[in-house]
Amino acid sequence: MVNEYPHWQTVPLRWKDNDIYGHVNNVVHYSLMDTVINTWLIEQGGLDIETGEVIGLCVESHCGYHSSVSFPGSLRVGLRVAHLGKSSVRYEIGMYAADETLVAEGHFVHVFVDRESRRPTPLSGKLREALEALQPS
């Protein structure tokens, strides 16, 4: 598990994440993927989500569920880049319970575009370097 992902983030589960069946609702897993990816992009890649010229648009996402988890607790979320193109990136995400049980795994594709024109723009500089750092060695 540890060697599969270059980046790990522990995310606490919240009371409101549980659904009527007593486990974390499926939509929360998508939110966690989005949160971990964008935390990395902002903190490591310098992505300015409020005023930057470049933004990432999600064009595809998928999540497969393997076991349930519920509040209270947390998930360890692993992040890697499976494919890095000129203006797009495909992330792979693994979500694990405290006992290292695989809870869910998924992928998420961003296309980076110019904020105004919404046309694809090449990834460069600090942002590209941060994404390259997520590629498994």
Side-chain angles (χ1 to χ4, degrees):
M1 171 178 89
V2 173
N3 295 329
E4 295 179 31
Y5 299 96
H7 174 69
W8 288 92
Q9 183 174 335
T10 300
V11 181
L13 297 172
R14 304 160 305 169
W15 171 254
K16 72 177 191 169
D17 294 338
N18 283 359
D19 63 18
I20 197 165
Y21 302 114
H23 61 78
V24 171
N25 190 279
N26 295 358
V27 71
V28 173
H29 296 85
Y30 281 93
S31 178
L32 293 177
M33 288 193 292
D34 200 19
T35 297
V36 170
I37 290 166
N38 281 291
T39 298
W40 177 265
L41 293 174
I42 292 164
E43 292 179 354
Q44 303 300 316
L47 185 66
D48 180 350
I49 59 172
E50 293 177 11
T51 62
E53 292 179 16
V54 174
I55 59 172
L57 300 179
C58 176
V59 297
E60 179 181 331
S61 63
H62 170 79
C63 190
Y65 306 96
H66 299 278
S67 62
S68 66
V69 66
S70 61
F71 173 88
S74 61
L75 288 176
R76 289 209 357 106
V77 182
L79 177 63
R80 67 180 169 224
V81 166
H83 175 75
L84 182 57
K86 288 171 61 175
S87 62
S88 66
V89 59
R90 177 187 163 109
Y91 311 92
E92 292 178 340
I93 302 99
M95 293 173 241
Y96 294 83
D99 66 0
E100 298 190 5
T101 299
L102 178 62
V103 173
E105 56 190 342
H107 71 262
F108 197 98
V109 177
H110 265 152
V111 173
F112 288 87
V113 300
D114 177 84
R115 179 184 295 275
E116 297 302 318
S117 71
R118 296 296 204 255
R119 301 295 306 152
T121 188
L123 289 161
S124 62
K126 188 175 178 181
L127 183 56
R128 184 166 197 89
E129 290 171 13
L131 292 168
E132 288 172 345
L134 290 176
Q135 293 178 305
S137 29

